[in-house]
Amino acid sequence: MELIDGNLISNLVKEEIKKEVELTMSQGGKRPHLAAILVGNDGASEAYVGHKVKSCEQVGFSSTLKRFEATTTEAELIEAIHALNNDNDIDGFIVQLPLPKHIDSEKILLEIKPEKDVDGFHPINFGRMCLNLPSYISATPLGIMTMLEKYKIETSGKHCVVIGRSNIVGRPMSILMSRGGTPGDCTVTLCHSKTKNIKEECLRADIIIAALGKPGFLTADMVKPGAVVIDVGITRVPDSSKKSGYRLAGDVDFENVAPHCSWITPVPGGVGPMTVTSLMQNTLKASRKEIYK
Ligand code: GUN
């Protein structure tokens, strides 16, 4: 069994981005600029946005954080999105999810100009991804594809089982793994809460991507010897032995599954660090107008 080290790949990619920014700046170019909209005070969202701002500093991007009270209205958010759409200094921006219940997230995401949608959540970007056209690919799926690519993990002709059909991870992951390309060219089964015989489906898989948000869901008896296992889960589980009062738990029973695998991502230190780095890659592409000329 070998570990797929998300911290290692993330640092390598960030170094590459930093060099690109330094080169652009030395040639008199514009510093890439990412903005984030954060609504309310959810602990996990605060932490994610904090990582995004810190990563911008590390790679030499400018960043702007726009905070709103949890009681903010849809109209106020839409006004802020239109302002960012029209601000020429902002190359890309994100609206951190989840949003408070009184706000319709789908309606909000539709307001983001696809050219600045570095999260790849707008239906135009999602549709272009499905059609294998240039598009922003959302950060977690892009991070997983980068890890598979950097570790040269063979995917062509393999059977990939994705567990979880969220718009942010499972569904785009199922499309990316079935698209032509490297990584890609898999036969994909997308499992979800209504799937019958999920254990049998997983046992047929050469590659399992667990993205359902249930700590320890994937157990050793569900994994074929030699399979590649990618763990997307990052659930906060109460743990009084930690200073923060919680620990991060993956969707995979790592201790017992790891000995069965050829490759596996740990939690923490696997998919998590790649997610933020992918957002930096998308922001660099936005600043260079690589997707939308
Ligand atoms: N909430 C959880 N993951 C994400 C993400 O990748 N982007 C945004 N905007 N919100 C999230």
Side-chain angles (χ1 to χ4, degrees), residues 37 45 48 52 94-98 109 119 121 138-140 168-169 275 279:
I37 292 180
S45 293
Y48 294 144
K52 291 171 188 179
I94 63 148
V95 177
Q96 186 65 30
L97 302 178
L109 296 177
D119 251 335
F121 291 168
S138 33
T140 303
I168 295 185
V169 186
T275 296
L279 181 65

Side-chain angles (χ1 to χ4, degrees), residues 10-54:
S10 163
N11 288 334
L12 285 175
V13 174
K14 278 198 278 197
E15 271 309 309
E16 285 167 19
I17 298 174
K18 191 174 168 196
K19 284 196 189 124
E20 296 285 337
V21 174
E22 282 165 3
L23 183 65
T24 304
M25 299 308 294
S26 71
Q27 293 168 340
K30 179 190 167 299
R31 192 176 288 286
H33 191 167
L34 173 71
I37 292 180
L38 176 60
V39 185
N41 301 296
D42 173 68
S45 293
E46 291 264 2
Y48 294 144
V49 170
H51 288 313
K52 291 171 188 179
V53 170
K54 195 171 148 221

